[in-house]
Amino acid sequence: MADTFVKRFFGLMNRHKLPDDTVMVIKPCKQIHTFFMRFEITAVFVDSKNIVLQVIKLKPWQISPYVRDASMVIELPASKDNKLSCGDIIMLSERRIN
């Protein structure tokens, strides 16, 4: 969970990969970038009611669109087969790793 300025600032930068069973939740967030990242991700923009607004894949050194109604972004490994689409409602279970 990246819920402070410092955690949001560094996010997944300088990591070699995101394990398949892990996601990064950035909150609050309406737009992300993949500068200094070494791998592709899938970004899921979610509103305050946990409704999926947009799902996009981003390669390193890209900037996502600004999603005005988003309250958080969930970053998934791009290799993970996800079937999320706009309008889906998600539920998160928090497990922190260091």
Side-chain angles (χ1 to χ4, degrees):
M1 176 72 72
D3 55 0
T4 67
F5 175 78
V6 172
K7 289 178 184 176
R8 285 191 310 269
F9 180 80
F10 286 105
L12 296 173
M13 286 191 300
N14 297 319
R15 294 184 188 238
H16 294 284
K17 70 176 194 164
L18 182 62
D20 284 338
D21 63 345
T22 305
V23 300
M24 170 72 79
V25 178
I26 304 172
K27 186 176 182 177
C29 189
K30 296 178 182 297
Q31 184 176 36
I32 62 169
H33 66 81
T34 55
F35 300 156
F36 306 103
M37 289 180 57
R38 301 173 182 172
F39 52 91
E40 186 177 15
I41 61 168
T42 298
V44 182
F45 291 83
V46 180
D47 72 8
S48 60
K49 296 178 182 175
N50 291 342
I51 298 172
V52 174
L53 301 174
Q54 190 168 3
V55 180
I56 59 169
K57 285 198 178 198
L58 292 171
K59 294 180 181 184
W61 298 96
Q62 290 187 317
I63 300 173
S64 77
Y66 179 85
V67 182
R68 184 178 48 108
D69 293 330
S71 66
M72 71 176 137
V73 176
I74 303 166
E75 296 178 347
L76 309 164
S79 61
K80 187 169 182 81
D81 182 30
N82 79 73
K83 300 188 183 345
L84 292 171
S85 59
C86 294
D88 289 348
I89 299 174
I90 61 163
M91 183 187 323
L92 294 175
S93 168
E94 186 173 341
R95 183 187 85 190
R96 294 181 186 256
I97 60 171
N98 294 327

